Amino acid sequence: ITPNVEPDKTRNQIKVLIDTLYVRTTPGGQDIGFANPGYYNYLETQEEEFNGVKYLWYRIADSNWIASKEGEWTEVHPKEEETKEQIQKEYAERILKNMPEWLYSLIEK
């Protein structure tokens, strides 16, 4: 399976580091191939235990799950939550950017 995305801090992503990371139909399910190294968006996670070992699984597409061994097989990059200050800054920047247009429309009336 080919990596499908570029790094994006606004999305939940997992970076595959190895060539031989199995992709399975469900956590611990049937092998359907390998995930090539690169970034994938993930849609959900699930913890499962097999033979006394706990794995954290990531769903990267419908019926496509990969297991994570953080730092060895994968690097997990959850999306960054915006802080109140970031939201306020973006709002102020948007207002300032549109201010000339708003002022011009007032003058025309």
Side-chain angles (χ1 to χ4, degrees):
I1 297 181
T2 304
N4 58 357
V5 294
E6 294 296 319
D8 181 353
K9 293 181 180 186
T10 66
R11 311 271 323 237
N12 288 322
Q13 295 187 319
I14 187 163
K15 181 179 181 183
V16 173
L17 302 173
I18 62 173
D19 292 328
T20 56
L21 185 60
Y22 285 104
V23 176
R24 299 176 186 266
T25 55
T26 60
Q30 178 183 353
D31 297 341
I32 56 173
F34 295 100
N36 290 320
Y39 283 88
Y40 298 83
N41 292 331
Y42 66 87
L43 309 167
E44 67 178 298
T45 62
Q46 187 172 326
E47 190 174 304
E48 293 287 332
E49 186 173 324
F50 297 97
N51 300 326
V53 178
K54 287 185 181 177
Y55 293 93
L56 189 55
W57 292 84
Y58 292 83
R59 183 168 67 89
I60 58 172
D62 291 338
S63 301
N64 285 210
W65 290 81
I66 57 176
S68 175
K69 190 169 184 185
E70 179 68 15
E72 291 183 38
W73 301 348
T74 60
E75 288 177 0
V76 179
H77 302 274
K79 69 180 176 181
E80 292 182 358
E81 298 296 326
E82 284 190 307
T83 65
K84 181 179 177 182
E85 291 78 20
Q86 288 172 314
I87 293 169
Q88 289 173 336
K89 180 182 177 211
E90 288 173 11
Y91 179 69
E93 287 171 347
R94 195 168 50 248
I95 288 173
L96 290 173
K97 177 182 171 200
N98 292 318
M99 187 68 68
E101 189 176 304
W102 292 333
L103 291 173
Y104 185 73
S105 69
L106 287 174
I107 292 170
E108 286 185 333
K109 292 181 181 184

Short mmCIF file of all heavy atoms in Angstrom, two decimals, residues 4-30:
data_model
loop_
_atom_site.label_atom_id
_atom_site.label_comp_id
_atom_site.label_asym_id
_atom_site.label_seq_id
_atom_site.Cartn_x
_atom_site.Cartn_y
_atom_site.Cartn_z
N ASN A 4 -0.15 7.83 1.27
CA ASN A 4 -1.12 8.62 0.53
C ASN A 4 -1.13 10.10 0.86
O ASN A 4 -1.94 10.83 0.31
CB ASN A 4 -2.53 8.05 0.74
CG ASN A 4 -2.92 8.00 2.21
OD1 ASN A 4 -2.14 8.33 3.08
ND2 ASN A 4 -4.14 7.58 2.48
N VAL A 5 -0.25 10.56 1.73
CA VAL A 5 -0.33 11.97 2.12
C VAL A 5 1.05 12.55 2.43
O VAL A 5 2.01 11.83 2.62
CB VAL A 5 -1.24 12.15 3.37
CG1 VAL A 5 -2.67 11.81 3.06
CG2 VAL A 5 -0.73 11.34 4.53
N GLU A 6 1.08 13.86 2.48
CA GLU A 6 2.25 14.61 2.94
C GLU A 6 2.03 14.91 4.42
O GLU A 6 0.90 14.92 4.90
CB GLU A 6 2.38 15.91 2.16
CG GLU A 6 2.68 15.72 0.68
CD GLU A 6 4.02 15.05 0.43
OE1 GLU A 6 5.00 15.39 1.14
OE2 GLU A 6 4.10 14.19 -0.46
N PRO A 7 3.09 15.20 5.16
CA PRO A 7 2.92 15.57 6.57
C PRO A 7 1.96 16.75 6.70
O PRO A 7 2.03 17.71 5.96
CB PRO A 7 4.32 15.95 7.02
CG PRO A 7 5.23 15.23 6.08
CD PRO A 7 4.50 15.18 4.77
N ASP A 8 1.02 16.64 7.64
CA ASP A 8 0.00 17.68 7.84
C ASP A 8 -0.38 17.68 9.32
O ASP A 8 -0.97 16.72 9.81
CB ASP A 8 -1.22 17.37 6.97
CG ASP A 8 -2.33 18.40 7.10
OD1 ASP A 8 -2.24 19.30 7.97
OD2 ASP A 8 -3.30 18.29 6.34
N LYS A 9 -0.04 18.75 10.03
CA LYS A 9 -0.29 18.81 11.47
C LYS A 9 -1.76 18.96 11.82
O LYS A 9 -2.13 18.90 12.98
CB LYS A 9 0.52 19.95 12.08
CG LYS A 9 2.01 19.71 12.02
CD LYS A 9 2.79 20.83 12.65
CE LYS A 9 4.27 20.50 12.56
NZ LYS A 9 5.10 21.44 13.26
N THR A 10 -2.62 19.16 10.82
CA THR A 10 -4.05 19.29 11.10
C THR A 10 -4.80 17.98 10.95
O THR A 10 -6.02 17.94 11.06
CB THR A 10 -4.69 20.35 10.17
OG1 THR A 10 -4.63 19.88 8.82
CG2 THR A 10 -4.00 21.69 10.29
N ARG A 11 -4.07 16.89 10.69
CA ARG A 11 -4.69 15.56 10.51
C ARG A 11 -3.98 14.56 11.41
O ARG A 11 -2.80 14.71 11.72
CB ARG A 11 -4.52 15.09 9.05
CG ARG A 11 -4.91 16.05 7.98
CD ARG A 11 -6.33 16.01 7.53
NE ARG A 11 -6.94 14.74 7.48
CZ ARG A 11 -7.50 14.20 6.41
NH1 ARG A 11 -7.46 14.81 5.28
NH2 ARG A 11 -8.10 13.05 6.49
N ASN A 12 -4.69 13.53 11.83
CA ASN A 12 -4.07 12.41 12.55
C ASN A 12 -3.29 11.61 11.52
O ASN A 12 -3.86 11.14 10.53
CB ASN A 12 -5.12 11.53 13.21
CG ASN A 12 -5.76 12.18 14.40
OD1 ASN A 12 -5.11 12.87 15.16
ND2 ASN A 12 -7.06 11.97 14.56
N GLN A 13 -1.99 11.44 11.76
CA GLN A 13 -1.16 10.72 10.80
C GLN A 13 -0.23 9.75 11.50
O GLN A 13 0.12 9.93 12.67
CB GLN A 13 -0.32 11.70 9.97
CG GLN A 13 -1.16 12.59 9.08
CD GLN A 13 -0.33 13.44 8.16
OE1 GLN A 13 0.70 13.98 8.54
NE2 GLN A 13 -0.78 13.55 6.93
N ILE A 14 0.16 8.74 10.75
CA ILE A 14 1.15 7.78 11.22
C ILE A 14 2.17 7.63 10.10
O ILE A 14 1.81 7.56 8.91
CB ILE A 14 0.50 6.43 11.61
CG1 ILE A 14 1.53 5.51 12.25
CG2 ILE A 14 -0.22 5.79 10.45
CD1 ILE A 14 0.92 4.36 13.01
N LYS A 15 3.44 7.62 10.47
CA LYS A 15 4.51 7.47 9.49
C LYS A 15 5.07 6.06 9.64
O LYS A 15 5.53 5.67 10.71
CB LYS A 15 5.62 8.49 9.73
CG LYS A 15 6.75 8.40 8.72
CD LYS A 15 7.81 9.45 8.99
CE LYS A 15 8.93 9.37 7.96
NZ LYS A 15 10.00 10.33 8.27
N VAL A 16 5.01 5.29 8.57
CA VAL A 16 5.57 3.94 8.55
C VAL A 16 7.06 4.06 8.27
O VAL A 16 7.47 4.75 7.34
CB VAL A 16 4.86 3.07 7.49
CG1 VAL A 16 5.54 1.73 7.34
CG2 VAL A 16 3.39 2.89 7.85
N LEU A 17 7.87 3.39 9.09
CA LEU A 17 9.32 3.50 9.00
C LEU A 17 9.99 2.28 8.35
O LEU A 17 11.15 2.36 7.96
CB LEU A 17 9.92 3.68 10.41
CG LEU A 17 9.41 4.88 11.20
CD1 LEU A 17 9.96 4.84 12.62
CD2 LEU A 17 9.76 6.18 10.51
N ILE A 18 9.27 1.15 8.26
CA ILE A 18 9.88 -0.08 7.77
C ILE A 18 9.18 -0.57 6.51
O ILE A 18 8.05 -0.18 6.22
CB ILE A 18 9.85 -1.19 8.85
CG1 ILE A 18 8.42 -1.54 9.24
CG2 ILE A 18 10.65 -0.76 10.07
CD1 ILE A 18 8.29 -2.73 10.18
N ASP A 19 9.85 -1.44 5.76
CA ASP A 19 9.29 -1.97 4.50
C ASP A 19 8.33 -3.13 4.71
O ASP A 19 7.56 -3.45 3.81
CB ASP A 19 10.42 -2.45 3.58
CG ASP A 19 11.27 -1.32 3.07
OD1 ASP A 19 10.75 -0.20 2.89
OD2 ASP A 19 12.48 -1.54 2.85
N THR A 20 8.39 -3.77 5.85
CA THR A 20 7.64 -5.02 6.03
C THR A 20 6.55 -4.91 7.10
O THR A 20 6.32 -5.84 7.84
CB THR A 20 8.60 -6.16 6.42
OG1 THR A 20 9.33 -5.76 7.59
CG2 THR A 20 9.56 -6.47 5.29
N LEU A 21 5.86 -3.78 7.15
CA LEU A 21 4.75 -3.62 8.09
C LEU A 21 3.47 -4.13 7.42
O LEU A 21 3.01 -3.57 6.43
CB LEU A 21 4.60 -2.16 8.51
CG LEU A 21 3.55 -1.89 9.58
CD1 LEU A 21 3.87 -2.66 10.86
CD2 LEU A 21 3.45 -0.41 9.87
N TYR A 22 2.94 -5.22 7.98
CA TYR A 22 1.74 -5.82 7.40
C TYR A 22 0.54 -4.90 7.50
O TYR A 22 0.36 -4.20 8.49
CB TYR A 22 1.39 -7.13 8.12
CG TYR A 22 2.27 -8.28 7.78
CD1 TYR A 22 3.25 -8.72 8.66
CD2 TYR A 22 2.13 -8.95 6.57
CE1 TYR A 22 4.07 -9.78 8.35
CE2 TYR A 22 2.95 -10.02 6.24
CZ TYR A 22 3.91 -10.43 7.14
OH TYR A 22 4.72 -11.48 6.82
N VAL A 23 -0.28 -4.93 6.47
CA VAL A 23 -1.60 -4.31 6.48
C VAL A 23 -2.58 -5.45 6.62
O VAL A 23 -2.47 -6.47 5.92
CB VAL A 23 -1.87 -3.51 5.19
CG1 VAL A 23 -3.28 -2.95 5.20
CG2 VAL A 23 -0.85 -2.40 5.02
N ARG A 24 -3.51 -5.31 7.54
CA ARG A 24 -4.48 -6.38 7.81
C ARG A 24 -5.90 -5.86 7.65
O ARG A 24 -6.15 -4.67 7.74
CB ARG A 24 -4.26 -6.94 9.21
CG ARG A 24 -2.87 -7.55 9.37
CD ARG A 24 -2.63 -8.01 10.80
NE ARG A 24 -1.26 -8.45 11.00
CZ ARG A 24 -0.85 -9.72 10.90
NH1 ARG A 24 -1.70 -10.67 10.58
NH2 ARG A 24 0.43 -10.01 11.11
N THR A 25 -6.82 -6.78 7.43
CA THR A 25 -8.23 -6.42 7.23
C THR A 25 -8.88 -5.90 8.51
O THR A 25 -9.77 -5.07 8.46
CB THR A 25 -9.04 -7.62 6.72
OG1 THR A 25 -8.86 -8.70 7.64
CG2 THR A 25 -8.59 -8.02 5.33
N THR A 26 -8.44 -6.40 9.65
CA THR A 26 -8.90 -5.98 10.97
C THR A 26 -7.69 -6.09 11.90
O THR A 26 -6.70 -6.72 11.54
CB THR A 26 -10.01 -6.91 11.51
OG1 THR A 26 -9.51 -8.24 11.60
CG2 THR A 26 -11.26 -6.88 10.63
N PRO A 27 -7.75 -5.50 13.10
CA PRO A 27 -6.64 -5.70 14.03
C PRO A 27 -6.40 -7.20 14.27
O PRO A 27 -7.29 -7.91 14.70
CB PRO A 27 -7.09 -4.99 15.30
CG PRO A 27 -8.00 -3.92 14.80
CD PRO A 27 -8.73 -4.55 13.64
N GLY A 28 -5.23 -7.67 13.90
CA GLY A 28 -4.89 -9.08 14.04
C GLY A 28 -5.50 -9.97 12.98
O GLY A 28 -5.36 -11.19 13.02
N GLY A 29 -6.16 -9.37 11.98
CA GLY A 29 -6.85 -10.14 10.94
C GLY A 29 -5.93 -10.60 9.84
O GLY A 29 -4.71 -10.66 9.98
N GLN A 30 -6.53 -10.92 8.69
CA GLN A 30 -5.81 -11.46 7.53
C GLN A 30 -4.87 -10.42 6.92
O GLN A 30 -5.23 -9.25 6.77
CB GLN A 30 -6.84 -11.89 6.49
CG GLN A 30 -6.23 -12.41 5.22
CD GLN A 30 -7.30 -12.76 4.19
OE1 GLN A 30 -8.50 -12.74 4.46
NE2 GLN A 30 -6.87 -13.09 2.99
#
